[in-house]
Amino acid sequence: MALKVSGNNPSKFNRSQIKFYVFLIPFALFMMLPILFIINHAFKPLDELFAFPPRFFVNAPTFDNFRNLFDLANTSGIPLSRYVLNSLIVTVAVVFFSIIISAMAGFVLSKKQFRGKKALFEINNVALMFVPIAVTIPRFLTISFLGIDDTFFAHILPLLAMPVGLFLIKQFIDQIPDALIEAAIVDGANDFQIFWKIILPLIKPALATAAILVFQVVWNNVETSTLFTTSENMRTLAFFMNTLAVNTNVVVGQGMAAVASLIMFIPNLVLFIILQSSVMNTMSHSGLK
């Protein structure tokens, strides 16, 4: 407020801000290049897809790649809608349950005192370093032992553990004053009431950020369809899109691969646009402590 009054940081456009635009606009355009390329690439005809030197923008946009993709999907034994339905069921279930689990675990690790608390949180932090291939065999053995292969549980169970989501949420809960929880205890609130009525409303930005991260992992995941399912009607849209170009003509498949990339990217972009204010709020709070 003091900066605005003194004129050092005006809230409206001022000529002194031009230097910021000179720096930020080229940077923003540079960051948008991948998005523009994905969109342009999906509408390129075959001669532009294989043009040399490669072209960034499409000259003669066409819907042939979209038409080829949906024609191929219609001729396969499983309709495209089945893959979409599988992806929606798996994504919604994993996002919902992983967020609930991470929020409850974050609350316990942040505000409760018990033996082994720091060790458990350090184990979660170590798990952040794991690459997916490192846990493939343990996941496969677990799924086989439980006998849930080739079911929706085989898609959902391996993805419920999201160490990055737990880390973000726990750090956000650390910012909530203990006095607020102590006041609720004095008023007679139990742990569940404190979690549901106090903690959850205050950590909505962190939940939104974690939801975006989980959504990206689950929506683009092909590992569970490859390793834990054998029936084609149990596989997801990401698996179908990933194998579509590989199993078809190499030349025509390039156009369909470009369309598949666009179709898989759009939900991530839309979700981020909807929740971007919460994401930015989480990032700003993460540096307070």
Side-chain angles (χ1 to χ4, degrees):
M1 184 65 183
L3 291 175
K4 292 181 181 179
V5 173
S6 64
N8 290 331
N9 192 20
S11 58
K12 297 181 180 180
F13 175 75
N14 188 287
R15 284 188 298 178
S16 64
Q17 298 172 332
I18 292 178
K19 57 180 177 294
F20 302 135
Y21 291 107
V22 171
F23 173 76
L24 291 176
I25 289 178
F27 187 71
L29 292 175
F30 179 75
M31 298 301 289
M32 288 181 62
L33 288 180
I35 300 176
L36 295 175
F37 179 78
I38 291 176
I39 296 173
N40 279 271
H41 205 56
F43 289 94
K44 287 179 181 175
L46 286 179
D47 58 332
E48 293 188 33
L49 284 171
F50 290 93
F52 187 83
R55 297 173 181 171
F56 189 90
F57 294 104
V58 56
N59 289 333
T62 177
F63 286 96
D64 287 349
N65 296 329
F66 290 85
R67 195 175 298 113
N68 292 334
L69 174 64
F70 288 104
D71 286 346
L72 182 64
N74 291 332
T75 57
S76 62
I78 306 298
L80 186 62
S81 57
R82 177 66 190 189
Y83 295 106
V84 175
L85 178 65
N86 290 346
S87 284
L88 290 176
I89 292 174
V90 172
T91 303
V92 170
V94 172
V95 170
F96 177 78
F97 287 111
S98 66
I99 292 302
I100 290 294
I101 292 172
S102 297
M104 295 175 71
F107 170 58
V108 171
L109 289 173
S110 176
K111 298 301 181 185
K112 293 296 180 182
Q113 300 298 330
F114 57 93
R115 183 175 297 179
K117 169 182 166 179
K118 291 184 178 179
L120 290 174
F121 187 58
E122 289 302 322
I123 291 174
N124 180 78
N125 293 344
V126 172
L128 291 171
M129 304 297 111
F130 288 175
V131 293
I133 193 67
V135 294
T136 297
I137 293 178
R139 282 179 173 176
F140 180 81
L141 294 176
T142 303
I143 296 296
S144 298
F145 176 78
L146 295 175
I148 58 174
D149 51 306
D150 211 23
T151 65
F152 280 116
F153 293 108
H155 287 288
I156 296 171
L157 187 62
L159 302 176
L160 286 181
M162 287 289 174
V164 65
L166 173 57
F167 178 81
L168 273 178
I169 293 174
K170 190 265 181 187
Q171 297 299 97
F172 206 87
I173 295 177
D174 285 345
Q175 312 296 328
I176 299 175
D178 292 338
L180 197 60
I181 297 175
E182 292 167 359
I185 294 174
V186 171
D187 289 339
N190 56 36
D191 287 337
F192 180 77
Q193 290 171 325
I194 293 172
F195 172 74
W196 189 258
K197 295 184 177 180
I198 296 177
I199 300 298
L200 280 185
L202 292 175
I203 63 170
K204 284 181 180 177
L207 298 180
T209 304
I212 289 178
L213 297 176
V214 175
F215 178 87
Q216 289 179 331
V217 171
V218 180
W219 182 253
N220 298 307
N221 180 274
V222 297
E223 177 191 348
T224 56
S225 294
T226 304
L227 299 177
F228 309 137
T229 60
T230 54
S231 303
E232 196 64 27
N233 61 356
M234 286 304 302
R235 287 171 168 161
T236 61
L237 182 64
F239 175 85
F240 177 70
M241 292 296 182
N242 188 58
T243 58
L244 197 57
V246 177
N247 297 329
T248 55
N249 182 282
V250 175
V251 177
V252 179
Q254 292 302 311
M256 291 189 292
V259 175
S261 299
L262 179 63
I263 292 175
M264 295 303 298
F265 170 72
I266 286 177
N268 294 282
L269 180 64
V270 171
L271 186 64
F272 178 78
I273 292 174
I274 295 173
L275 300 176
Q276 63 172 330
S277 61
S278 297
V279 174
M280 295 302 109
N281 198 12
T282 302
M283 298 303 175
S284 62
H285 278 78
S286 63
L288 291 180
K289 186 173 182 180

